[in-house]
Amino acid sequence: MIRFDCHAHVYEKVTAIDGARYTPSRPAPLADWLAHQAANGLRGGVIVQVSFLGTDNSEMCAALARLDRARFAGVGVAPLDIGDEELDQLVHAGMRGVRWNLVRGAVMPALNAQPTRRFLSKLRERGLHLEVHLEGPRLAPHLPVLIDQGVDLVIDHFGLPSEPIPEDDPMIRAVRSLKVRNSLFFKFAAHYRTAFDITPHANELLSMLPDGHIVWGSDWPHTQHETRSGYSEVWSRAEDWRELSDGAAVQRLYGFE
């Protein structure tokens, strides 16, 4: 059974960084997200740092300060050179992972470079996972190296596959080629960010990944797709995976009880 919404964005005000690729027209208040959860029988979830706020995680931290840490957590955005003290403050606030938002041509950090190695070492030391948002064709060649970094790896939005037939999709083929998948997790969230029916790809992932390596997310408030989707619609779309148990995954990734 799906009990948690593991991908939502919460912000009480809209103050975009310079160069933000998209700025929503209105806030996404914590109270609204909690109301959606209550209406759909969910008991907690994960606030993911939204791209237009950059590395300013203050909105996420402020929301987490009002929530039960046994049922709510955050995934923030941090620069590679983040200091130990600042990272520890984010962990203390409830952050359980760091997101690399690499869509639309953003550069993948060089995994063998010293700054990236130091950053990943800090994640390992604190038991934090790495969450990656990247189009499937770009993700595929990096996947074998990403899962070999000693941290749990969470892939956003079904891995953003590019081919309607799973057997032709480079992301699906990359997952299938992995000999060990124990550190690999996927978020089933935002089906509308893929131009075709995502169900066959989701079923392929379910067949390839170990049990307990999938979480679901609403992607509320559906940034850039606000007029095309809503919470009730994405929850209805999750019917295909409603019996999927997220208990083991949310305990390992977020420490939920």
Side-chain angles (χ1 to χ4, degrees):
M1 175 181 291
I2 296 173
R3 299 180 300 151
F4 294 91
D5 177 357
C6 292
H7 194 104
H9 308 294
V10 170
Y11 40 93
E12 304 293 337
K13 59 182 183 298
V14 178
T15 307
I17 60 170
D18 291 341
R21 64 173 181 258
Y22 176 78
T23 304
S25 60
R26 59 183 181 273
L30 174 62
D32 290 3
W33 181 47
L34 296 178
H36 286 306
Q37 289 187 37
N40 292 284
L42 297 165
R43 64 183 306 264
V46 180
I47 299 171
V48 177
Q49 172 76 342
V50 71
S51 62
F52 73 82
L53 293 177
T55 59
D56 179 0
N57 297 280
S58 57
E59 289 272 350
M60 178 190 76
C61 292
L64 291 173
R66 301 165 56 189
L67 297 168
D68 179 358
R69 301 293 177 74
R71 299 185 295 119
F72 292 91
V75 172
V77 173
L80 293 181
D81 61 355
I82 188 171
D84 287 340
E85 182 177 356
E86 183 180 356
L87 186 56
D88 287 337
Q89 288 173 349
L90 291 171
V91 173
H92 181 73
M95 187 183 79
R96 294 293 175 263
V98 175
R99 190 187 200 207
W100 284 353
N101 193 339
L102 303 174
V103 293
R104 301 186 184 180
V107 177
M108 168 72 72
L111 295 174
N112 290 324
Q114 194 62 26
T116 312
R117 291 166 65 90
R118 282 196 298 267
F119 177 80
L120 292 171
S121 177
K122 291 179 180 182
L123 299 192
R124 285 193 296 271
E125 291 167 1
R126 292 162 176 82
L128 301 174
H129 66 267
L130 178 65
E131 181 171 312
V132 174
H133 183 204
L134 181 61
E135 297 92 349
R138 293 182 59 214
L139 168 66
H142 295 291
L143 196 56
V145 181
L146 281 168
I147 67 160
D148 196 31
Q149 299 303 312
V151 297
D152 284 334
L153 177 67
V154 180
I155 303 300
D156 270 349
H157 303 330
F158 301 92
L160 296 177
S162 59
E163 300 299 324
I165 300 174
E167 290 76 10
D168 297 335
D169 190 82
M171 187 273 299
I172 293 291
R173 290 202 301 264
V175 175
R176 186 179 293 115
S177 71
L178 297 173
K179 292 182 173 60
V180 179
R181 302 163 189 157
N182 290 336
S183 63
L184 180 62
F185 294 76
F186 271 75
K187 281 190 180 180
F188 283 10
H191 63 279
Y192 44 79
R193 297 188 187 275
T194 299
F196 45 80
D197 181 15
I198 204 74
T199 304
H201 301 73
N203 291 337
E204 281 291 314
L205 291 170
L206 284 167
S207 73
M208 291 187 290
L209 294 172
D211 290 341
H213 281 243
I214 301 289
V215 294
W216 176 84
S218 65
D219 197 38
W220 185 82
H222 325 292
T223 55
Q224 303 181 61
H225 298 268
E226 294 93 338
T227 62
R228 293 181 51 202
S229 195
Y231 208 102
S232 59
E233 192 274 333
V234 294
W235 182 238
S236 175
R237 183 63 181 81
E239 186 66 37
D240 290 337
W241 314 292
R242 195 70 59 79
E243 297 307 312
L244 176 73
S245 174
D246 60 3
V250 298
Q251 198 284 325
R252 176 165 163 176
L253 295 173
Y254 312 114
F256 292 166
E257 298 176 356

